[in-house]
């Protein structure tokens, strides 16, 4: 079986992450319960006329894809795999409210077409003229991870050599209102720097696109090797330490080998206890890194965790704003990522430096 | 690594029946399930025809033994019914005895509930429990819960009308690569006002019975359905001495990269998908005994698919083909899954289901679908599914490994 490498990364989030020469050098401190993406100059990548027709999710996805290909020095890939929890949410809302408000009359197809979950995957294929394998996963907070697992399987078996994998989700106004009502979004405003210590229910919602070129050919510029990806539907938080240990064990590693754990804490007092099991358990003495306080929670926020881990392994440094504890690490070889949302769709990803 | 991907169980619910036996009966009796819409109040009710599942949500909830406080979307309800039939059919008593996952496909997800309560959610808390069941993955999680799959791999695919075929494809690859011993694969999509109006704006809904591959075809009928297959590895088959219904022999996925909602004139993506599937199966075109076509009865699909079939098989060497969309309507993300069940039924019974409602030969080519029920010894069936976003998928089923 071939090894699988991360050869390029790209990110559009509520921080200025689209410039890969930086690593969260200038932080944006958000104060709201909903944080919007800081967008790059789209017309550097897509013609303005085309960009105007595209939903925000499509723009973010297509541009992040192009940035990832550019960094990998590729014109084409063998497959495109996209993860999205909600698809182009704004168009779904737009089409649905038009149906209700106008009693099914005077509708136009544009927002319906864009509302389809696989629109971003399809648009990226169109832009790249890529006729290869094209999949879209839509499984909550395991949408991206499902794609990662799929890509890894193909690359290991050499069914493909370069695969574009990414996650994209956008915020929609009505859905935001609904998530506030059911307290999945916090009742009160909160600063980015306070989120991880929050004692209230719900989280801060965000949006973004994070794409990667994975390859079974290592390059001088590769970020990391992906050793393992594992998904779980439901896990009881009491068994997390045991599950994490057996995951490491399957990969012939022990807790001491892990230089950093990258965790999906989102400041929801009801569910961050899952992460606490690990940070107060087997990883008590390991450097702990969190990222969602900077970019908000969304179904495909976790690939930003992979972006962070890739950067740490390449740069051999952790920006202060990401640190959950004060343990210093001098060099980084193995990083473990763990994510879940509201107690469901758990994932573990194991990376090794190149 | 498992060499074979065996199918050991199947379950289905559609407009032509609430289980596998009823669906088969309708198929051989040429009984279609297309009617005027009865379960959704829409201003288009006199302009469209649909394939509805007979049960109401309340009846489905009772069948599943759910309490009134449940928050299952109709997609989740029908999915659970079909998946449970598949598990029973496969004779599975202890689901977690082997490493088991589920890969489901949906395009509608929980939209049926969202569209009913969209504004009401803001005013009243009566139905707010459905807010969290809107996202596409929720129906799969509900099905997993019904089957008792807790820790295993559970995921959802949404590639429009090719989703169901892609779920089967991923499942087969998970078995082959040894990631899972057993995986339940399929799809579920319920009827919704959202999709009715979406397809209406695209002007591809027929106002009468859909007529696949007919010169005067007027578009598709939307349908709702769910179907699941149980796929198991060689190891499980051997250890449990299981009856095998058929095998997933080949699969191919390609993108047309032509247009967001239309297929290319000559079916480039469809051609690639069929060719890839043949290659994985290590078959040549002449090894295929029957093609269960996508055949949605839209002007665009049937022309593009027909041309692609000609490109792959050659106009003189095309095996019998038919679309079963005239029976069920186009069931979107479930289409690839229900047609997988029909393909297995064809293999098991050595019978080719007729392409209903066909009257006039298409002008662009000379190929004609199978119009009458036909008995033929079948060793292999090819099933096509194509969707928006240029997604093209082909799965090949075989009787022998």
């Amino acid at each position: 079986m071939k090894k699988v490498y991360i050869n390029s990364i790209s990110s559009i989030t509520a921080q200025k992450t689209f410039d890969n020469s930086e690593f969260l050098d200038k932080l944006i401190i958000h104060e709201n319960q909903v944080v919007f993406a800081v967008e790059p100059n789209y017309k550097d990548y897509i013609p303005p006329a085309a960009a105007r027709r595209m939903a925000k999710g499509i723009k973010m996805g297509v541009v992040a894809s192009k940035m990832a290909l550019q960094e990998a020095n590729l014109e084409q890939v063998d497959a495109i795999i996209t993860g999205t929890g909600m698809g182009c949410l704004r168009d779904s809302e737009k089409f649905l409210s038009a149906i209700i408000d106008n009693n099914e009359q005077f509708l136009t197809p544009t927002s319906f077409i864009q509302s389809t979950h696989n629109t971003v995957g399809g648009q990226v294929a169109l832009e790249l003229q890529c006729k290869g394998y094209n999949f879209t996963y839509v499984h909550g907070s395991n949408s991206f991870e499902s794609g990662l697992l799929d890509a890894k399987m193909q690359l290991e078996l050499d069914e493909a050599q370069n695969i574009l994998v990414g996650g994209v989700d956008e915020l929609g106004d009505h859905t935001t209102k609904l998530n506030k009502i059911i307290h999945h979004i916090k009742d009160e405003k909160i600063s980015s720097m306070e989120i991880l210590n929050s004692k209230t229910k719900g989280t801060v919602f965000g949006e973004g696109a994070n794409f990667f070129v994975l390859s079974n050919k290592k390059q001088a510029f590769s970020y990391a090797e992906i050793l393992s990806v594992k998904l779980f539907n439901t896990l009881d938080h009491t068994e997390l330490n045991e599950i994490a240990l057996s995951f490491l064990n399957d990969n012939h590693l022990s807790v001491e080998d892990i230089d950093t754990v990258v965790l999906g804490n989102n400041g929801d007092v009801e569910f961050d206890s899952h992460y606490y099991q690990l940070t107060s358990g087997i990883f008590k003495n390991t450097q702990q890194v969190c990222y969602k306080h900077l970019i908000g929670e969304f179904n495909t926020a976790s690939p930003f965790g992979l972006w962070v881990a890739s950067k740490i392994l390449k740069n051999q440094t952790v920006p202060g704003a990401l640190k959950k504890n004060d343990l210093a690490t001098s060099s980084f070889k193995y990083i473990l990522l763990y994510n879940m949302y509201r107690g469901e769709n758990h994932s573990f990803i194991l990376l090794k430096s190149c | 690594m498992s060499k074979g991907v065996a199918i050991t169980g199947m379950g289905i619910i559609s407009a032509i029946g609430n289980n596998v036996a009823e669906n088969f009966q309708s198929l051989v009796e040429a009984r279609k399930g297309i009617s005027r819409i009865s379960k959704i109040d829409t201003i288009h009710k006199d302009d469209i025809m649909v394939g509805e599942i007979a049960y109401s949500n309340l009846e489905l909830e009772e069948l599943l033994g759910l309490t009134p406080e449940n928050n299952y979307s109709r997609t989740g309800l029908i999915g659970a019914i079909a998946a449970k039939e598949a598990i029973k059919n496969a004779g599975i008593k202890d689901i977690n005895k082997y490493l088991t996952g589920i890969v489901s496909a949906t395009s509608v997800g929980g939209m049926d509930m969202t569209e009913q309560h969209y504004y009401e959610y803001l005013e009243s808390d009566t139905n707010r429990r459905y807010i969290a069941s809107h996202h596409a993955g929720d129906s799969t999680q509900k099905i997993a819960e019904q089957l008792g799959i807790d820790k295993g791999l559970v995921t959802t695919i949404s590639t429009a009308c090719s989703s169901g075929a892609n779920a089967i494809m991923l499942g087969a690859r998970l078995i082959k690569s040894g990631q899972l011993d057993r995986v339940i694969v399929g799809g579920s999509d319920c009827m919704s006002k959202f999709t009715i109006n979406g397809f209406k704006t695209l002007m591809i809904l027929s106002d009468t019975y859909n007529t696949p591959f007919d010169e005067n075809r007027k578009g598709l009928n939307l349908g709702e359905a769910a179907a699941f297959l149980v796929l198991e590895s060689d190891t499980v088959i051997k250890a449990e001495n299981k009856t095998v219904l058929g095998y997933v022999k080949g699969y191919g996925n390609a993108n047309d990269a032509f247009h967001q909602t239309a297929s290319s004139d000559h079916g480039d993506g469809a051609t690639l998908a069929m060719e890839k599937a043949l290659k994985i199966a290590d078959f040549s075109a002449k090894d295929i005994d029957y093609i269960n076509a996508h055949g949605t009865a839209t002007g665009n699909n049937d022309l593009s698919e027909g041309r692609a079939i000609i490109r792959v098989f050659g106009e003189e060497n095309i095996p019998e083909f038919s679309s079963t969309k005239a029976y069920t309507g186009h069931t979107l993300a479930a289409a690839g899954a229900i047609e997988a069940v029909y393909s297995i039924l064809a293999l098991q019974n050595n019978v080719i289901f007729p392409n209903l409602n066909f009257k006039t030969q298409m002008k662009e080519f000379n190929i004609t679908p199978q119009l009458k029920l036909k008995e033929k010894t079948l060793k292999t069936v090819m099933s096509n599914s194509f969707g928006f976003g240029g997604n093209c998928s082909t799965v090949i089923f075989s009787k022998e490994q």
Side-chain angles (χ1 to χ4, degrees):
Chain A
M1 286 214 296
K2 298 231 171 196
K3 290 180 175 180
V4 177
Y5 302 94
I6 299 174
N7 278 3
S8 74
I9 64 176
S10 72
S11 173
I12 299 171
T13 65
Q15 297 293 328
K16 186 174 165 275
T17 49
F18 54 80
D19 181 355
N20 259 346
S21 66
E22 299 176 13
F23 187 14
L24 297 167
D25 296 347
K26 289 179 223 85
L27 280 188
I28 301 167
I29 310 295
H30 297 282
E31 304 287 343
N32 236 320
Q33 298 106 303
V34 176
V35 297
F36 294 93
V38 180
E39 298 174 272
N41 198 353
Y42 291 127
K43 65 175 188 294
D44 294 347
Y45 299 90
I46 28 180
R52 266 196 302 278
R53 284 195 302 271
M54 287 179 179
K56 189 178 189 181
I58 300 177
K59 271 190 286 200
M60 292 194 294
V62 168
V63 170
S65 297
K66 289 197 167 184
M67 293 193 295
L69 257 75
Q70 220 168 54
E71 199 192 39
N73 290 326
L74 290 173
E75 297 282 321
Q76 192 56 279
V77 285
D78 304 313
I80 298 167
I81 307 178
T82 315
T84 180
M86 305 294 276
C88 292
L89 189 56
R90 291 175 183 200
D91 281 281
S92 302
E93 291 184 358
K94 200 170 148 190
F95 194 68
L96 182 53
S97 45
I99 290 174
I100 301 171
D101 298 347
N102 306 320
N103 191 30
E104 303 183 76
Q105 296 169 87
F106 321 116
L107 300 165
T108 54
T110 313
S111 54
F112 174 68
I113 293 167
Q114 298 210 15
S115 77
T116 316
H117 284 91
N118 63 330
T119 303
V120 174
Q123 284 288 330
V124 174
L126 260 179
E127 285 284 324
L128 302 178
Q129 277 301 299
C130 177
K131 292 185 193 284
Y133 180 97
N134 194 303
F135 252 51
T136 300
Y137 290 93
V138 293
H139 198 73
S141 59
N142 264 342
S143 301
F144 169 76
E145 287 73 9
S146 299
L148 195 63
L149 183 70
D150 183 351
K152 186 167 171 284
M153 223 158 53
Q154 295 190 45
L155 293 166
E156 280 175 346
L157 299 174
D158 209 22
E159 292 169 354
Q161 285 72 52
N162 292 293
I163 300 183
L164 178 70
V165 189
V168 55
D169 271 296
E170 62 178 19
L171 283 160
D173 289 344
H174 192 83
T175 307
T176 296
K177 278 187 205 162
L178 298 184
N179 277 298
K180 277 185 179 161
I181 281 184
I182 56 173
H183 312 292
H184 288 191
I185 295 179
K186 285 189 184 299
D187 291 342
E188 69 288 345
K189 285 184 187 292
I190 185 166
S191 155
S192 307
M193 304 323 284
E194 305 294 321
I195 291 173
L196 294 177
N197 297 317
S198 168
K199 296 282 178 284
T200 61
K201 277 191 195 179
T203 182
V204 167
F205 268 27
E207 61 179 1
N210 292 276
F211 277 75
F212 306 82
V213 171
L214 305 189
S215 175
N216 53 20
K217 291 197 180 72
K218 187 177 164 179
Q219 303 284 357
F221 50 79
S222 295
Y223 283 83
E225 182 189 342
I226 302 180
L227 296 178
S228 187
V229 179
K230 194 153 188 190
L231 281 63
F232 297 88
N233 179 32
T234 53
L235 287 180
D236 194 75
H237 65 270
T238 55
E239 53 188 349
L240 262 172
N241 282 302
E242 197 187 318
I243 297 269
L245 273 177
S246 95
F247 178 73
L248 291 179
N249 194 36
D250 289 346
N251 290 284
H252 316 292
L253 293 175
S254 65
V255 168
E256 291 70 35
D257 293 316
I258 301 301
D259 299 305
T260 300
V261 280
V262 175
L263 303 161
N265 295 53
N266 66 14
D268 184 335
V269 73
E270 262 189 292
F271 295 99
D272 271 1
S273 52
H274 281 80
Y275 301 106
Y276 182 73
Q277 289 293 323
L278 294 177
T279 53
S280 65
I282 58 171
F283 296 116
K284 198 168 60 180
N285 299 316
T286 309
Q287 177 157 70
Q288 302 158 4
V289 160
C290 293
Y291 55 90
K292 284 183 188 164
H293 56 298
L294 302 178
I295 63 149
E297 174 70 277
F298 48 105
N299 288 142
T300 51
S302 50
F304 181 66
L306 189 63
W307 183 91
V308 162
S310 304
K311 282 275 204 189
I312 293 174
L313 288 175
K314 192 165 198 173
N315 296 6
Q316 291 287 309
T317 167
V318 180
L322 296 170
K323 289 181 180 171
K324 178 86 168 64
N325 61 1
D326 287 327
L327 289 169
T329 312
S330 51
S331 74
F332 301 86
K333 189 170 180 194
Y334 292 105
I335 295 186
L336 177 72
L337 294 96
Y338 165 64
N339 184 58
M340 59 94 209
Y341 180 57
R342 300 186 68 81
E344 290 180 329
N345 295 318
H346 307 252
S347 66
F348 289 96
I349 301 172
L350 187 61
L351 298 184
K352 185 186 170 196
S353 61
C354 277
Chain B
M1 301 264 289
S2 183
K3 240 176 75 204
V5 180
I7 302 159
T8 57
M10 51 189 188
I12 186 170
I13 183 165
S14 78
I16 59 168
N18 297 320
N19 52 48
V20 174
E22 286 180 20
N23 271 266
F24 181 66
Q25 209 54 36
S26 297
L27 286 168
V28 295
E29 289 171 8
R31 202 167 58 223
K32 52 184 174 264
I34 305 297
S35 63
R36 291 290 173 201
I37 194 162
S38 72
K39 294 191 172 60
I40 290 179
D41 181 26
T42 166
I43 65 160
H44 306 302
K45 60 181 186 299
D46 297 325
D47 311 329
I48 60 169
M49 299 195 82
V50 295
E52 281 180 318
I53 289 169
Y55 290 127
S56 68
N57 281 8
L58 207 60
E59 289 168 322
L60 291 164
E61 287 172 12
E62 273 171 21
L63 283 170
L64 292 168
L66 297 174
T67 58
E69 310 83 62
N70 80 80
N71 69 341
Y72 280 55
S73 64
R74 188 165 169 89
T75 300
L77 293 170
I78 57 176
I81 296 275
K84 281 185 138 178
E85 186 191 10
I87 293 295
K88 197 175 164 204
N89 183 226
I92 294 168
K93 303 271 184 317
D94 177 5
I95 192 95
N96 293 314
K97 183 172 174 189
Y98 295 97
L99 195 55
T100 302
I102 172 164
V103 182
S104 183
T106 186
S107 66
V108 176
M111 185 59 89
D112 61 316
M113 292 301 172
T114 304
E115 68 190 20
Q116 288 175 53
H117 308 302
Y118 193 62
Y119 291 125
E120 174 214 304
Y121 285 143
L122 299 174
E123 310 299 328
S124 146
D125 61 5
T126 317
N127 293 302
R128 279 182 194 158
R129 65 187 185 281
Y130 288 109
I131 294 175
S133 52
H134 171 80
H135 77 96
D138 179 78
S139 55
T140 314
Q141 281 165 239
K142 294 289 197 310
I143 298 165
E145 190 180 295
Q146 285 288 322
L147 301 183
I149 299 172
D150 50 4
K151 290 194 183 63
L153 174 69
V154 175
T155 192
T156 312
I157 292 166
S158 197
T159 51
C161 311
S162 65
S163 311
N166 285 338
I168 297 168
M169 193 178 307
L170 178 71
R173 289 173 45 230
L174 287 165
I175 297 277
K176 269 196 185 176
S177 68
Q179 302 262 344
L180 294 173
D181 301 317
R182 174 157 70 199
V183 57
I184 290 86
V185 296
S188 180
D189 254 344
C190 69
M191 194 69 70
S192 75
K193 224 179 218 187
F194 191 89
T195 36
I196 290 170
N197 281 282
F199 282 87
K200 189 82 186 161
T201 62
L202 290 167
M203 296 185 285
I204 51 176
L205 290 184
S206 171
D207 58 356
T208 179
Y209 297 106
N210 78 82
T211 62
F213 295 105
D214 186 283
E215 172 66 18
N216 303 313
R217 61 200 181 279
K218 295 172 80 177
L220 57 87
N221 302 135
L222 283 170
E224 57 179 359
F228 286 89
L229 305 177
V230 178
L231 307 183
E232 291 183 306
S233 71
D234 295 339
T235 319
V236 179
I237 300 300
K238 214 173 150 194
E240 303 279 315
N241 193 21
K242 295 202 84 153
T243 311
V244 176
L245 311 178
Y247 293 87
V248 180
K249 189 75 182 169
Y251 37 80
N253 173 296
N255 197 288
D256 208 24
F258 171 72
H259 187 272
Q260 189 61 32
T261 57
S263 301
S264 58
D265 290 346
H266 294 276
D268 293 349
T271 303
L272 275 172
M274 285 186 269
E275 286 173 349
K276 279 187 185 177
L278 286 169
K279 197 175 162 204
I280 296 273
D282 200 16
F283 282 169
S284 65
K286 65 172 176 8
D287 295 318
I288 300 298
D289 297 324
Y290 162 54
I291 306 169
N292 184 291
H294 188 52
T296 57
T298 63
N300 179 237
N301 177 81
D302 294 5
L303 178 58
S304 174
E305 183 178 10
R307 283 177 169 159
I309 289 174
I310 292 170
R311 278 170 75 180
V312 174
F313 289 84
E315 197 154 4
E316 304 306 314
N317 302 308
I318 296 171
E320 288 85 350
F321 71 98
S322 64
S323 160
T324 45
K325 298 282 195 302
Y327 287 91
T328 58
H330 187 2
T331 59
L332 309 178
I338 69 166
E339 286 157 31
V341 170
Y342 297 163
S343 298
I344 308 296
L345 284 171
L347 279 176
Q348 282 185 313
N349 297 284
N350 293 303
V351 64
I352 293 167
F353 309 118
N355 188 103
L356 306 180
N357 305 340
F358 179 95
K359 284 199 187 83
T360 314
Q361 177 66 39
M362 282 173 66
K363 283 199 190 78
E364 292 88 347
F365 43 61
N366 293 319
I367 59 172
T368 312
Q370 179 62 33
L371 301 178
K372 288 261 174 334
L373 187 76
K374 180 173 177 177
E375 288 187 20
K376 177 184 175 185
T377 306
L378 299 177
K379 285 192 182 136
T380 61
V381 178
M382 174 185 269
S383 175
N384 284 337
S385 298
F386 311 127
F388 284 2
N391 283 116
C392 298
S393 298
T394 298
V395 183
I396 297 172
F397 302 97
S398 67
K399 207 174 267 174
E400 309 285 328
Q401 187 168 327

